[in-house]
Amino acid sequence: KEPSVAQPSNSLRKEENPIVVAKGTRTKNMSGRRAGRQPHRGGRGGQGGRGRGNRDGGRFGGRGGGGGRSRPDHSGLKSVVTNIVPAQIGANFSFYLYTGDCKDKNDKSIEGRGRRADLFRKGVWDNLLKDMPAAQKDVIQRAAFFAGSFFFSGRPIPGLEQENLPQLVVDGSETAGDTLTLVRVQKFAAPDCLQPPLPPTQQGEIVVETNRCSTCLATFQNEQALMQHCKQTGHELVYPAKNSLEPAKTDVFLAYLNTALQRALGERCKKWGNEYIDEDRAIQGKDRNGRDLGIKVFEAYSCKFGVMRNTTTAGPKAKLILTVDLRAKVMRTVTVLDMLNRIQETDQQWSSANQNRARRQWIGERVMYTRERKGYTVVGLDFDNSPRSLPVPQQNVSHEEYFKKKGIMLEYPDHVPMVVVLGRQDREIYLPAELVTGTELETNIKEQPCHVA
């Protein structure tokens, strides 16, 4: 579900003396010397104790009395706003960790994450499970998460049982000598610190986790709905493991949860940096007078699972929490093409002086490709070509036709220049100027970030 973010409560009043803390800051007990240095606030008394100074309590109401050591009075505080959401673990929670060994043609380990991911996709989905029905494969794919030298899975993958390992799934014949061997599988339960003590069961009693189907990814609100689903589809229930599972280490457990969480967010939202945004909920930025600031503001969610120590005596030693942060992501709506039009009309032949002026302004600057929200560094401006005239390398189409196939209709296909940016492995990429914006915000926007947010 889309994360819900609590809004500040209007029930907090000034007379209740709440302590307001900005997000990302630490609180400090206003005690002792720190409290005493506030003008004319010298703890309990201020005339005696360690205070030295006037009747207001030490020097400027300073170190007198020692009463400042007591905790602030929160008795009038009725409610708080928090970004921490308690989470629960299912009774029969488990996950799988598959370890692989990636080697190149020289029998050296492959370090590149991209090459490892390609080998994983080809070895598991294209080779090992190539004959599996598409619907069944989709269920396993959505619950499998690549993580570098290993991958997680919420379901067992057929053919990769421990007795079938190690197994060569990519032999290198179609991958320039790169190979992948899956060497080990481990099934984990939740860490010991998060597992509540299980209630005693009667002899012969079957314990079923009533929320979840074992065969597919469906979850249900009650046991009746689960039973009906299994009866109609032939799927199975989730039962406790016959043998006790190895508890996962906390870091491995959280790595699995957060990897799955990022996948879930990516299915609903668009990733932008480390956050996720809803593209359909962009807000046009305006100043206090309602004038357009030339920006779009997006609600950006940042979510992460963590473990918090349980301060109560009952239950497990720790509890699982989900931290949900809401940030404001700002994107300029003024494109590079708009900025270049201020120097000279972009549908005309550019003079040499204006070309040099434009290059001085943009080469070396960071820009954003607005369709994918990726940042690049500008290394050149091509005034000899437009999106309609410049062909795409190794493809017999122009840049206008290339973007049209991707569902992007260019408004100014004959306008110059093309923006040259640096991509992966220092490869030059040509982008239409109308699809690129600068990342540096205007001065008037920088001066009012809180209003914009």
Side-chain angles (χ1 to χ4, degrees):
K1 297 182 180 178
E2 183 180 22
S4 60
V5 180
Q7 299 298 325
S9 172
N10 291 328
S11 63
L12 297 179
R13 296 290 184 262
K14 185 175 181 181
E15 59 269 14
E16 293 176 346
N17 191 27
I19 292 183
V20 180
V21 182
K23 182 173 68 174
T25 63
R26 296 182 178 179
T27 61
K28 289 187 177 180
N29 183 15
M30 297 293 291
S31 61
R33 295 185 179 183
R34 189 172 179 85
R37 287 179 184 170
Q38 304 301 318
H40 308 294
R41 293 176 59 187
R44 293 181 304 178
Q47 297 183 25
R50 295 185 299 165
R52 64 171 191 259
N54 56 29
R55 295 181 179 180
D56 291 322
R59 186 173 51 194
F60 301 106
R63 305 177 341 189
R69 294 192 187 96
S70 61
R71 293 180 178 272
D73 180 16
H74 295 313
S75 60
L77 196 63
K78 302 300 182 183
S79 63
V80 295
V81 178
T82 179
N83 62 341
I84 296 177
V85 182
Q88 292 184 348
I89 304 173
N92 299 319
F93 172 85
S94 62
F95 66 97
Y96 297 81
L97 188 151
Y98 295 87
T99 306
D101 186 19
C102 301
K103 296 290 185 65
D104 61 13
K105 61 182 180 181
N106 298 320
D107 202 33
K108 294 183 179 180
S109 294
I110 297 175
E111 302 297 336
R113 184 182 177 89
R115 289 172 66 185
R116 286 176 175 270
D118 291 339
L119 290 174
F120 162 70
R121 285 190 291 266
K122 185 171 184 61
V124 178
W125 311 127
D126 297 343
N127 295 344
L128 182 68
L129 304 180
K130 62 180 180 180
D131 297 327
M132 179 177 285
Q136 185 179 353
K137 184 188 293 187
D138 180 64
V139 170
I140 298 177
Q141 279 183 310
R142 291 192 66 221
F145 315 102
F146 173 75
S149 59
F150 56 90
F151 67 93
F152 296 111
S153 179
R155 298 284 188 274
I157 297 180
L160 294 182
E161 297 79 11
Q162 186 59 54
E163 56 269 19
N164 296 328
L165 300 179
Q167 183 176 162
L168 181 68
V169 293
V170 178
D171 59 10
S173 59
E174 300 177 357
T175 54
D178 293 348
T179 63
L180 170 61
T181 303
L182 296 175
V183 297
R184 187 183 182 189
V185 58
Q186 296 169 278
K187 185 177 181 181
F188 291 113
D192 281 334
C193 63
L194 294 173
Q195 293 184 6
L198 296 176
T201 58
Q202 301 293 333
Q203 185 176 3
E205 180 182 359
I206 298 177
V207 179
V208 179
E209 184 175 350
T210 57
N211 291 353
R212 193 159 58 95
C213 175
S214 175
T215 309
C216 67
L217 299 175
T219 58
F220 303 89
Q221 293 183 350
N222 52 60
E223 184 176 352
Q224 181 180 359
L226 172 63
M227 294 298 185
Q228 184 177 0
H229 165 79
C230 293
K231 183 178 180 180
Q232 293 176 349
T233 60
H235 292 180
E236 297 181 355
L237 308 174
V238 176
Y239 296 101
K242 295 181 180 179
N243 302 318
S244 59
L245 298 178
E246 178 185 354
K249 294 183 178 179
T250 304
D251 56 345
V252 176
F253 169 74
L254 292 178
Y256 167 68
L257 291 189
N258 286 313
T259 304
L261 178 62
Q262 300 307 307
R263 170 77 65 81
L265 287 169
E267 289 184 354
R268 293 291 188 94
C269 305
K270 184 77 172 178
K271 189 173 184 181
W272 185 350
N274 294 325
E275 287 83 29
Y276 292 84
I277 65 168
D278 186 350
E279 291 185 295
D280 298 330
R281 298 180 62 181
I283 302 170
Q284 197 70 31
K286 298 182 182 297
D287 63 12
R288 294 177 177 83
N289 298 320
R291 292 173 296 194
D292 190 2
L293 291 173
I295 59 173
K296 284 184 178 180
V297 185
F298 296 86
E299 291 182 344
Y301 297 99
S302 175
C303 305
K304 189 175 183 179
F305 280 109
V307 172
M308 177 183 291
R309 183 169 60 89
N310 193 354
T311 57
T312 62
T313 56
K317 298 179 181 179
K319 49 188 175 182
L320 184 66
I321 59 171
L322 175 66
T323 303
V324 183
D325 283 333
L326 176 61
R327 296 181 173 92
K329 284 281 192 178
V330 180
M331 183 177 68
R332 295 180 62 178
T333 56
V334 179
T335 65
V336 172
L337 187 69
D338 297 328
M339 300 294 290
L340 291 173
N341 272 320
R342 300 177 184 179
I343 301 175
Q344 180 179 324
E345 294 295 331
T346 54
D347 59 347
Q348 300 175 0
Q349 185 69 29
W350 276 62
S351 65
S352 177
N354 285 337
Q355 289 185 27
N356 293 333
R357 179 183 171 188
R359 290 191 175 100
R360 285 194 303 268
Q361 179 179 349
W362 286 103
I363 291 180
E365 292 292 320
R366 292 288 295 177
V367 295
M368 178 182 293
Y369 173 44
T370 57
R371 292 300 185 271
E372 296 182 359
R373 288 169 181 78
K374 290 184 178 179
Y376 298 97
T377 300
V378 178
V379 296
L381 297 175
D382 184 1
F383 288 94
D384 297 326
N385 290 290
S386 66
R388 180 169 290 173
S389 64
L390 183 65
V392 178
Q394 300 179 352
Q395 299 187 36
N396 192 25
V397 294
S398 67
H399 277 72
E400 179 194 16
E401 295 170 323
Y402 170 81
F403 283 103
K404 186 177 181 179
K405 289 181 179 179
K406 298 179 69 174
I408 303 173
M409 303 298 295
L410 297 181
E411 190 175 353
Y412 307 101
D414 294 317
H415 287 226
V416 297
M418 293 288 287
V419 181
V420 188
V421 299
L422 213 56
R424 292 181 178 178
Q425 300 178 350
D426 294 337
R427 182 171 60 92
E428 291 186 347
I429 302 175
Y430 288 77
L431 296 173
E434 65 180 279
L435 301 181
V436 181
T437 65
T439 58
E440 187 71 16
L441 297 177
E442 302 287 349
T443 304
N444 64 323
I445 300 175
K446 291 181 179 180
E447 291 175 349
Q448 46 184 336
C450 294
H451 173 74
V452 171

